[in-house]
Amino acid sequence: MEYVYLLALGVGVGAFGTIIGAGGGFILMPILLLAYPEKLPKTLTAISLAMVFFNALSGSYSYARMKRIDYKSGLLFLMTGVPGAAAGAYLVKYIPRHVFELVFGLLLLAVAAYIFIKTFNGAPRSHGRWSTFKRTIVDAHGTRHEYAFSLALGMAISFAVGLASSILGIGGGIIHVPAMVNLLDFPVHIATATSHFILAGMTLVGTLVHVIDGTLGRADLPELIMLAGGAIAGAQIGAALSRRIHGRWIMRSLAAALGVVSVRILIPGITAVFFSR
């Protein structure tokens, strides 16, 4: 029965994660911590990261068929996102975690509130003369998406996303999508699809590192197989549903998810700052 629950959990997390382009690890991780108190947190993080990889890979396949992925931008973002993730993994032991969690949690909460109350109409916006990297994407339905952004800003954001993701242990898509939409002028559906593509690359690297260093081993395969199987199916469901959901509601769903993540990050930070000795 445990494996049935894990399969269902993978489907639900995978579907929602694919819709908002975030992978779903931010939902899965706290559930795993409650369900498996006997397992080390780093092991559960590795399981969650591996599930996100399979979810992102499956979702990317569906989004590729819809022709919604901006491959050129995605590959350029990966060039800085992967080193950012590596730097975060190295720096995490030197940064007072509770201070970072408090500041970053408040920032995410503010971003969530901003996205939720802002009316997103999908109209192209311009951030001026810096938006020189022009892109045109025509999806499988013939819809033409034209937008432009600052490549330097986009790559800097990707580095910061990779850095924060490694330090906090959350999927980068939860941060990347709102940044791509609100700072880089990506259309919502292109942003979620491209974010999923980027997420597949970043989580593949992280998962391989966990396999090589022994954090993710054979003993974890039963749970991972069920979660991954559910996530692969859930990604197909999420990608199909995304075609029927207006960009405004995708962003509001993302805002709600950001709110959940910010609270999860803030609670230990506040506890450490105000209630420890």
Side-chain angles (χ1 to χ4, degrees), residues 216-227:
L216 189 64
R218 291 183 180 179
D220 308 306
L221 283 179
E223 292 89 354
L224 176 56
I225 289 172
M226 299 310 294
L227 285 169

mmCIF file with all atom_site columns, all heavy atoms in Angstrom, residues 216-227:
data_model
loop_
_atom_site.group_PDB
_atom_site.id
_atom_site.type_symbol
_atom_site.label_atom_id
_atom_site.label_alt_id
_atom_site.label_comp_id
_atom_site.label_asym_id
_atom_site.label_entity_id
_atom_site.label_seq_id
_atom_site.pdbx_PDB_ins_code
_atom_site.Cartn_x
_atom_site.Cartn_y
_atom_site.Cartn_z
_atom_site.occupancy
_atom_site.B_iso_or_equiv
_atom_site.pdbx_formal_charge
_atom_site.auth_seq_id
_atom_site.auth_comp_id
_atom_site.auth_asym_id
_atom_site.auth_atom_id
_atom_site.pdbx_PDB_model_num
ATOM 1  N N   . LEU A 1 216 ? 22.601 8.546  -3.039 1.00 0.00 ? 216 LEU A N   1
ATOM 2  C CA  . LEU A 1 216 ? 21.469 7.830  -3.617 1.00 0.00 ? 216 LEU A CA  1
ATOM 3  C C   . LEU A 1 216 ? 21.937 6.433  -4.005 1.00 0.00 ? 216 LEU A C   1
ATOM 4  O O   . LEU A 1 216 ? 22.757 6.268  -4.915 1.00 0.00 ? 216 LEU A O   1
ATOM 5  C CB  . LEU A 1 216 ? 20.944 8.576  -4.844 1.00 0.00 ? 216 LEU A CB  1
ATOM 6  C CG  . LEU A 1 216 ? 19.638 8.090  -5.470 1.00 0.00 ? 216 LEU A CG  1
ATOM 7  C CD1 . LEU A 1 216 ? 18.473 8.255  -4.493 1.00 0.00 ? 216 LEU A CD1 1
ATOM 8  C CD2 . LEU A 1 216 ? 19.344 8.849  -6.762 1.00 0.00 ? 216 LEU A CD2 1
ATOM 9  N N   . GLY A 1 217 ? 21.437 5.416  -3.277 1.00 0.00 ? 217 GLY A N   1
ATOM 10 C CA  . GLY A 1 217 ? 21.901 4.053  -3.505 1.00 0.00 ? 217 GLY A CA  1
ATOM 11 C C   . GLY A 1 217 ? 20.792 3.082  -3.837 1.00 0.00 ? 217 GLY A C   1
ATOM 12 O O   . GLY A 1 217 ? 19.625 3.472  -4.015 1.00 0.00 ? 217 GLY A O   1
ATOM 13 N N   . ARG A 1 218 ? 21.133 1.819  -3.913 1.00 0.00 ? 218 ARG A N   1
ATOM 14 C CA  . ARG A 1 218 ? 20.171 0.785  -4.292 1.00 0.00 ? 218 ARG A CA  1
ATOM 15 C C   . ARG A 1 218 ? 19.021 0.676  -3.291 1.00 0.00 ? 218 ARG A C   1
ATOM 16 O O   . ARG A 1 218 ? 17.894 0.355  -3.673 1.00 0.00 ? 218 ARG A O   1
ATOM 17 C CB  . ARG A 1 218 ? 20.869 -0.563 -4.399 1.00 0.00 ? 218 ARG A CB  1
ATOM 18 C CG  . ARG A 1 218 ? 21.831 -0.663 -5.580 1.00 0.00 ? 218 ARG A CG  1
ATOM 19 C CD  . ARG A 1 218 ? 22.423 -2.056 -5.660 1.00 0.00 ? 218 ARG A CD  1
ATOM 20 N NE  . ARG A 1 218 ? 23.348 -2.180 -6.789 1.00 0.00 ? 218 ARG A NE  1
ATOM 21 C CZ  . ARG A 1 218 ? 24.021 -3.290 -7.082 1.00 0.00 ? 218 ARG A CZ  1
ATOM 22 N NH1 . ARG A 1 218 ? 23.864 -4.373 -6.315 1.00 0.00 ? 218 ARG A NH1 1
ATOM 23 N NH2 . ARG A 1 218 ? 24.827 -3.321 -8.115 1.00 0.00 ? 218 ARG A NH2 1
ATOM 24 N N   . ALA A 1 219 ? 19.305 0.933  -2.025 1.00 0.00 ? 219 ALA A N   1
ATOM 25 C CA  . ALA A 1 219 ? 18.263 0.815  -0.998 1.00 0.00 ? 219 ALA A CA  1
ATOM 26 C C   . ALA A 1 219 ? 17.130 1.814  -1.215 1.00 0.00 ? 219 ALA A C   1
ATOM 27 O O   . ALA A 1 219 ? 16.009 1.613  -0.729 1.00 0.00 ? 219 ALA A O   1
ATOM 28 C CB  . ALA A 1 219 ? 18.879 1.023  0.386  1.00 0.00 ? 219 ALA A CB  1
ATOM 29 N N   . ASP A 1 220 ? 17.406 2.891  -1.957 1.00 0.00 ? 220 ASP A N   1
ATOM 30 C CA  . ASP A 1 220 ? 16.400 3.940  -2.182 1.00 0.00 ? 220 ASP A CA  1
ATOM 31 C C   . ASP A 1 220 ? 15.610 3.727  -3.472 1.00 0.00 ? 220 ASP A C   1
ATOM 32 O O   . ASP A 1 220 ? 14.688 4.490  -3.761 1.00 0.00 ? 220 ASP A O   1
ATOM 33 C CB  . ASP A 1 220 ? 17.088 5.317  -2.242 1.00 0.00 ? 220 ASP A CB  1
ATOM 34 C CG  . ASP A 1 220 ? 17.982 5.553  -1.044 1.00 0.00 ? 220 ASP A CG  1
ATOM 35 O OD1 . ASP A 1 220 ? 17.478 5.413  0.084  1.00 0.00 ? 220 ASP A OD1 1
ATOM 36 O OD2 . ASP A 1 220 ? 19.173 5.870  -1.244 1.00 0.00 ? 220 ASP A OD2 1
ATOM 37 N N   . LEU A 1 221 ? 15.987 2.706  -4.237 1.00 0.00 ? 221 LEU A N   1
ATOM 38 C CA  . LEU A 1 221 ? 15.356 2.500  -5.546 1.00 0.00 ? 221 LEU A CA  1
ATOM 39 C C   . LEU A 1 221 ? 13.852 2.211  -5.484 1.00 0.00 ? 221 LEU A C   1
ATOM 40 O O   . LEU A 1 221 ? 13.107 2.734  -6.324 1.00 0.00 ? 221 LEU A O   1
ATOM 41 C CB  . LEU A 1 221 ? 16.072 1.382  -6.309 1.00 0.00 ? 221 LEU A CB  1
ATOM 42 C CG  . LEU A 1 221 ? 17.417 1.762  -6.937 1.00 0.00 ? 221 LEU A CG  1
ATOM 43 C CD1 . LEU A 1 221 ? 18.029 0.552  -7.639 1.00 0.00 ? 221 LEU A CD1 1
ATOM 44 C CD2 . LEU A 1 221 ? 17.235 2.912  -7.920 1.00 0.00 ? 221 LEU A CD2 1
ATOM 45 N N   . PRO A 1 222 ? 13.353 1.395  -4.535 1.00 0.00 ? 222 PRO A N   1
ATOM 46 C CA  . PRO A 1 222 ? 11.901 1.125  -4.527 1.00 0.00 ? 222 PRO A CA  1
ATOM 47 C C   . PRO A 1 222 ? 11.059 2.399  -4.429 1.00 0.00 ? 222 PRO A C   1
ATOM 48 O O   . PRO A 1 222 ? 10.105 2.580  -5.203 1.00 0.00 ? 222 PRO A O   1
ATOM 49 C CB  . PRO A 1 222 ? 11.710 0.228  -3.300 1.00 0.00 ? 222 PRO A CB  1
ATOM 50 C CG  . PRO A 1 222 ? 13.032 -0.448 -3.136 1.00 0.00 ? 222 PRO A CG  1
ATOM 51 C CD  . PRO A 1 222 ? 14.054 0.572  -3.522 1.00 0.00 ? 222 PRO A CD  1
ATOM 52 N N   . GLU A 1 223 ? 11.418 3.279  -3.486 1.00 0.00 ? 223 GLU A N   1
ATOM 53 C CA  . GLU A 1 223 ? 10.666 4.540  -3.343 1.00 0.00 ? 223 GLU A CA  1
ATOM 54 C C   . GLU A 1 223 ? 10.830 5.417  -4.586 1.00 0.00 ? 223 GLU A C   1
ATOM 55 O O   . GLU A 1 223 ? 9.865  5.996  -5.081 1.00 0.00 ? 223 GLU A O   1
ATOM 56 C CB  . GLU A 1 223 ? 11.153 5.312  -2.104 1.00 0.00 ? 223 GLU A CB  1
ATOM 57 C CG  . GLU A 1 223 ? 10.810 4.650  -0.784 1.00 0.00 ? 223 GLU A CG  1
ATOM 58 C CD  . GLU A 1 223 ? 11.867 3.674  -0.323 1.00 0.00 ? 223 GLU A CD  1
ATOM 59 O OE1 . GLU A 1 223 ? 12.825 3.424  -1.088 1.00 0.00 ? 223 GLU A OE1 1
ATOM 60 O OE2 . GLU A 1 223 ? 11.741 3.144  0.805  1.00 0.00 ? 223 GLU A OE2 1
ATOM 61 N N   . LEU A 1 224 ? 12.064 5.492  -5.077 1.00 0.00 ? 224 LEU A N   1
ATOM 62 C CA  . LEU A 1 224 ? 12.329 6.341  -6.241 1.00 0.00 ? 224 LEU A CA  1
ATOM 63 C C   . LEU A 1 224 ? 11.583 5.858  -7.474 1.00 0.00 ? 224 LEU A C   1
ATOM 64 O O   . LEU A 1 224 ? 11.021 6.662  -8.224 1.00 0.00 ? 224 LEU A O   1
ATOM 65 C CB  . LEU A 1 224 ? 13.832 6.385  -6.525 1.00 0.00 ? 224 LEU A CB  1
ATOM 66 C CG  . LEU A 1 224 ? 14.253 7.166  -7.785 1.00 0.00 ? 224 LEU A CG  1
ATOM 67 C CD1 . LEU A 1 224 ? 13.746 8.587  -7.741 1.00 0.00 ? 224 LEU A CD1 1
ATOM 68 C CD2 . LEU A 1 224 ? 15.768 7.119  -7.957 1.00 0.00 ? 224 LEU A CD2 1
ATOM 69 N N   . ILE A 1 225 ? 11.562 4.547  -7.696 1.00 0.00 ? 225 ILE A N   1
ATOM 70 C CA  . ILE A 1 225 ? 10.893 3.997  -8.882 1.00 0.00 ? 225 ILE A CA  1
ATOM 71 C C   . ILE A 1 225 ? 9.406  4.347  -8.879 1.00 0.00 ? 225 ILE A C   1
ATOM 72 O O   . ILE A 1 225 ? 8.848  4.750  -9.905 1.00 0.00 ? 225 ILE A O   1
ATOM 73 C CB  . ILE A 1 225 ? 11.096 2.470  -8.969 1.00 0.00 ? 225 ILE A CB  1
ATOM 74 C CG1 . ILE A 1 225 ? 12.553 2.161  -9.337 1.00 0.00 ? 225 ILE A CG1 1
ATOM 75 C CG2 . ILE A 1 225 ? 10.149 1.845  -9.988 1.00 0.00 ? 225 ILE A CG2 1
ATOM 76 C CD1 . ILE A 1 225 ? 12.912 0.701  -9.259 1.00 0.00 ? 225 ILE A CD1 1
ATOM 77 N N   . MET A 1 226 ? 8.756  4.209  -7.727 1.00 0.00 ? 226 MET A N   1
ATOM 78 C CA  . MET A 1 226 ? 7.323  4.514  -7.656 1.00 0.00 ? 226 MET A CA  1
ATOM 79 C C   . MET A 1 226 ? 7.071  6.011  -7.832 1.00 0.00 ? 226 MET A C   1
ATOM 80 O O   . MET A 1 226 ? 6.165  6.416  -8.564 1.00 0.00 ? 226 MET A O   1
ATOM 81 C CB  . MET A 1 226 ? 6.747  4.038  -6.325 1.00 0.00 ? 226 MET A CB  1
ATOM 82 C CG  . MET A 1 226 ? 6.861  2.534  -6.096 1.00 0.00 ? 226 MET A CG  1
ATOM 83 S SD  . MET A 1 226 ? 6.262  1.533  -7.498 1.00 0.00 ? 226 MET A SD  1
ATOM 84 C CE  . MET A 1 226 ? 4.523  1.926  -7.464 1.00 0.00 ? 226 MET A CE  1
ATOM 85 N N   . LEU A 1 227 ? 7.873  6.844  -7.175 1.00 0.00 ? 227 LEU A N   1
ATOM 86 C CA  . LEU A 1 227 ? 7.703  8.297  -7.311 1.00 0.00 ? 227 LEU A CA  1
ATOM 87 C C   . LEU A 1 227 ? 7.994  8.743  -8.742 1.00 0.00 ? 227 LEU A C   1
ATOM 88 O O   . LEU A 1 227 ? 7.256  9.561  -9.311 1.00 0.00 ? 227 LEU A O   1
ATOM 89 C CB  . LEU A 1 227 ? 8.645  9.021  -6.336 1.00 0.00 ? 227 LEU A CB  1
ATOM 90 C CG  . LEU A 1 227 ? 8.246  9.012  -4.867 1.00 0.00 ? 227 LEU A CG  1
ATOM 91 C CD1 . LEU A 1 227 ? 9.392  9.527  -4.001 1.00 0.00 ? 227 LEU A CD1 1
ATOM 92 C CD2 . LEU A 1 227 ? 6.990  9.865  -4.639 1.00 0.00 ? 227 LEU A CD2 1
#
